[in-house]
Amino acid sequence: MSMFLTLAYLFFLGSLFGWVLELFFRKFFSAANPEHKWINPGFCVGPYVPLYGSGLCILYLLAYMGDVTGVEDTVSGRALLFAGMAVSMTLIEYIAGIALLKWMKLRLWDYSMQRGNIQGLICPLFSFFWAVLGAAYYFLVHPHILEALDWLANNLAFSFVIGYFFGVFTIDVAYSCHLVARLKRFADENDVVVRYEALKAHLHAARERAELRQRFFLPFQTVRPLHEHLLEAVNALEEIRRQK
């Protein structure tokens, strides 16, 4: 089976399972969601987080190289492998975060309250979590990934589903980029950075106060203009900062 199809399949799996992981993290642990509501995580509308899809591809390639080179045969070799996984995931997180922050004035996550953070995009604590996640992947997930790839090699008809996923994903990215362009215009006009998850939580609360049906996958479709909600969210954050 070609490496292209392998990585496409892994991106598909990683994006879906990463979305589930982020969904529960946003529900129970995110400071941007103090009321612990179910909020669709990530940049896109659909149930996938591309950052995790890219991360799974990187973890697979590193584990594959570790298997081929025999690095994982020693304790120090495995420690080096897990460190490489942590560095790779941290780098992906930083590149994605800085691109959105500098070009789109959009912040999808914020580690500003963590020690040793860099621009609120990466920090030692979450790099450690990435190392733990890399170890968990290697011992618990990688063997099943190999089984899944064997299954795909024997059931290539499933590649149609992968192709369908990327078709929907491409449309979703185009829609999300259009939305982000609107947010960027607001950010430029008001010289602010839009906190994506906090804005989603604000819209969720606004719909709740108005007794409107919640839109899990389309949280930015509102009765009032989005511009008004953005102003309210920015003013609310400024009030919280002043109180602190």
Side-chain angles (χ1 to χ4, degrees):
M1 187 169 63
S2 70
M3 182 58 71
F4 175 80
L5 182 57
T6 295
L7 295 179
Y9 182 49
L10 292 178
F11 183 88
F12 163 73
L13 293 177
S15 297
L16 291 177
F17 284 103
W19 180 85
V20 174
L21 182 64
E22 284 290 319
L23 180 67
F24 282 93
F25 177 81
R26 294 286 187 270
K27 166 69 173 176
F28 296 107
F29 304 105
S30 177
N33 182 23
E35 297 183 358
H36 302 292
K37 303 293 185 181
W38 290 106
I39 296 177
N40 183 18
F43 170 80
C44 296
V45 173
Y48 31 75
V49 178
L51 179 67
Y52 283 87
S54 302
L56 182 58
C57 292
I58 295 296
L59 292 179
Y60 167 78
L61 290 173
L62 289 174
Y64 176 78
M65 287 189 293
D67 291 339
V68 171
T69 59
V71 168
E72 84 289 353
D73 292 339
T74 64
V75 174
S76 60
R78 285 183 177 177
L80 182 63
L81 178 62
F82 301 151
M85 290 178 173
V87 170
S88 298
M89 293 300 295
T90 300
L91 187 60
I92 291 173
E93 191 174 34
Y94 183 75
I95 291 173
I98 199 66
L100 289 169
L101 187 60
K102 295 299 184 182
W103 296 335
M104 298 298 181
K105 291 192 174 181
L106 190 68
R107 186 182 287 277
L108 264 66
W109 61 87
D110 190 359
Y111 300 151
S112 297
M113 301 303 293
Q114 302 295 333
R115 292 182 179 179
N117 75 86
I118 299 177
Q119 297 174 275
L121 299 174
I122 57 175
C123 66
L125 178 62
F126 276 81
S127 292
F128 170 74
F129 288 156
W130 286 127
V132 173
L133 186 64
Y137 167 81
Y138 184 81
F139 290 115
L140 303 177
V141 179
H142 189 62
H144 298 293
I145 289 293
L146 296 178
E147 292 175 3
L149 291 174
D150 286 338
W151 178 87
L152 179 63
N154 295 319
N155 297 271
L156 288 178
F158 187 77
S159 59
F160 170 80
V161 176
I162 301 173
Y164 181 81
F165 163 80
F166 276 97
V168 173
F169 175 72
T170 301
I171 296 172
D172 194 333
V173 169
Y175 170 82
S176 298
C177 286
H178 174 70
L179 174 62
V180 167
R182 293 172 60 192
L183 298 180
K184 183 179 185 300
R185 283 197 299 271
F186 173 86
D188 288 336
E189 291 169 1
N190 295 272
D191 194 25
V192 296
V193 172
V194 177
R195 298 175 183 271
Y196 206 65
E197 297 300 331
L199 177 59
K200 284 183 180 179
H202 173 81
L203 292 173
H204 191 285
R207 295 188 69 85
E208 209 168 52
R209 288 194 299 271
E211 298 183 351
L212 297 173
R213 183 172 64 88
Q214 297 296 340
R215 295 179 180 273
F216 183 77
F217 286 112
L218 294 170
F220 294 101
Q221 285 194 358
T222 59
V223 176
R224 293 166 54 202
L226 180 60
H227 184 85
E228 293 182 10
H229 287 289
L230 282 163
L231 285 174
E232 286 182 357
V234 169
N235 292 335
L237 285 173
E238 288 299 326
E239 183 63 28
I240 291 172
R241 291 196 185 97
R242 283 195 295 269
Q243 291 174 357
K244 290 181 178 179

